[in-house]
Amino acid sequence: MKRLVVGAHYGTTGFLAQRVTAVFLAAYVLMLGGVLYAWQPNTYAAWRELFSRGWMRIATLLFVTSLVWHAWVGVRDILMDYIKPDGLRFALQVLTLLLLAIYLAWTVQILWR
């Protein structure tokens, strides 16, 4: 049987990216849960002070970056699997990348405003 190899071979890289980013996402959620349990911010000033700390900003930026990368790999795989017309698939991928880049830039603006 002859094996036909096609595509850009994103399988292993995408698989590993999904797993690594999932670990970062889970670690942040656990860390945030612990911080919220210990800190218990109940006013805007308390939330503002929590997110004014450098380590919290960096951790949140890493979380959102991991989330964006995780989402990109997932959406890209879905589009490659189910959208067959090349032009439509490319347009949807570009739109997805633009939206994710905007969300990441918006996060930076919120954290360092």
Side-chain angles (χ1 to χ4, degrees):
M1 181 174 184
K2 191 170 156 183
R3 183 173 175 199
L4 180 62
V5 179
V6 296
H9 311 292
Y10 291 116
T12 303
T13 304
F15 177 84
L16 289 174
Q18 287 285 71
R19 275 46 185 189
V20 169
T21 56
V23 168
F24 283 135
L25 297 173
Y28 179 84
V29 167
L30 292 173
M31 183 271 308
L32 183 63
V35 167
L36 293 179
Y37 180 75
W39 189 275
Q40 296 184 356
N42 58 359
T43 64
Y44 175 76
W47 280 98
R48 186 175 174 101
E49 184 177 336
L50 174 62
F51 280 90
S52 70
R53 300 172 184 271
W55 64 268
M56 190 63 179
R57 287 180 178 177
I58 297 297
T60 302
L61 183 61
L62 288 174
F63 169 79
V64 173
T65 303
S66 294
L67 183 63
V68 164
W69 191 4
H70 193 89
W72 165 244
V73 171
V75 171
R76 184 201 66 205
D77 288 350
I78 290 170
L79 293 174
M80 287 189 332
D81 287 347
Y82 296 107
I83 307 296
K84 297 305 177 191
D86 293 335
L88 177 60
R89 183 173 59 237
F90 179 72
L92 290 172
Q93 286 177 336
V94 168
L95 178 64
T96 301
L97 277 173
L98 285 172
L99 285 172
L100 291 173
I102 288 168
Y103 296 149
L104 186 59
W106 192 12
T107 299
V108 170
Q109 178 192 15
I110 290 169
L111 290 173
W112 276 277
R113 182 175 3 181

